[in-house]
Amino acid sequence: MVLSKNKIKQIHSLELKKFRTSTQSFIAEGFKCVGELLKEGFQAKTIIATQNWKSPIQKSQQTEYIEVTDEELRKASLLPHPQQVLGIFQIPDINIKNDLNDIISKDLCLCLDGIQDPGNLGTIIRTADWFGIRHIICSEKTADAYSPKTVQATMGSIARVNIYYTDLTNFLDTLDKSIPIYGTLLDGENIYNSELSNNGIIIMGNEGNGISQEIRQRLTKHLLIPPYPDNSPTAESLNVAIATAIICSEFRRRC
């Protein structure tokens, strides 16, 4: 098959959320990201690759395969330095599961309250994958997990982490009262001295404003990542993706 101008136009249109939504499609690029999605069973609509790319699975009859030169791949790619392959994938149909309450009662889940930067979101998804957190519940104001920048930042981890979008306030109000809800705040208790559980919700807030007031009211535990040494001049705050990694590490270390 030949890489047509219309196909290139279709690929570039998926930079915009309205086209991702209308087609229920997203782009992944590079042998690592595309390979992880294919191995985890994501449905590829189209694969555009150079002859050097080796598929990690048998080719599917449901997928359109287009072999291209390096120059043709550069024309299709959204990256400055494309790596062998670009895939158009089906966005999974994931709704809030009825058994999510049961899952949270037994394991940890992340809630993201208005994370705006696609790179931060992608890094958080990758971090969740590393620490075995399989569910992330996002507020409706959180960045799109299937934007090209977010997908690339996950390095394929988006294939193993379920992403949900919902009204966080309503969602938290449906949880069993016994489920702990943790949030990081400047008035929180030092996480290294706090009692932590092996289940519940960890909420991470917006890069500039932190956790919103209505969500703060629903926290059952305030946590703080302390600076070192205490009371010394330091940065105003940690990057939210870095803070998420520190918190997830401490929960998994102890529980």
Side-chain angles (χ1 to χ4, degrees), residues 111-116 139 141-142 168 182-186 203-217 219 223 236-240 243:
C111 271
L112 306 183
D113 182 18
I115 302 299
Q116 293 294 296
S139 71
K141 293 183 179 180
T142 292
L168 272 193
Y182 299 92
T184 52
L185 297 169
L186 291 177
I203 297 181
M204 304 304 298
N206 173 269
E207 290 90 342
N209 302 316
I211 298 172
S212 62
Q213 192 59 44
E214 60 183 6
I215 299 300
R216 290 186 192 195
Q217 295 171 5
L219 300 178
L223 299 175
E236 182 181 353
S237 63
L238 284 171
N239 171 276
V240 66

Side-chain angles (χ1 to χ4, degrees), residues 6 23 25 55 88 122 126 139 148 161 177 184 201 214 227 229 247:
N6 281 340
T23 62
S25 304
S55 176
I88 300 175
R126 188 176 178 185
S139 71
V161 179
K177 299 303 180 184
T184 52
I201 292 282
E214 60 183 6
I247 289 169

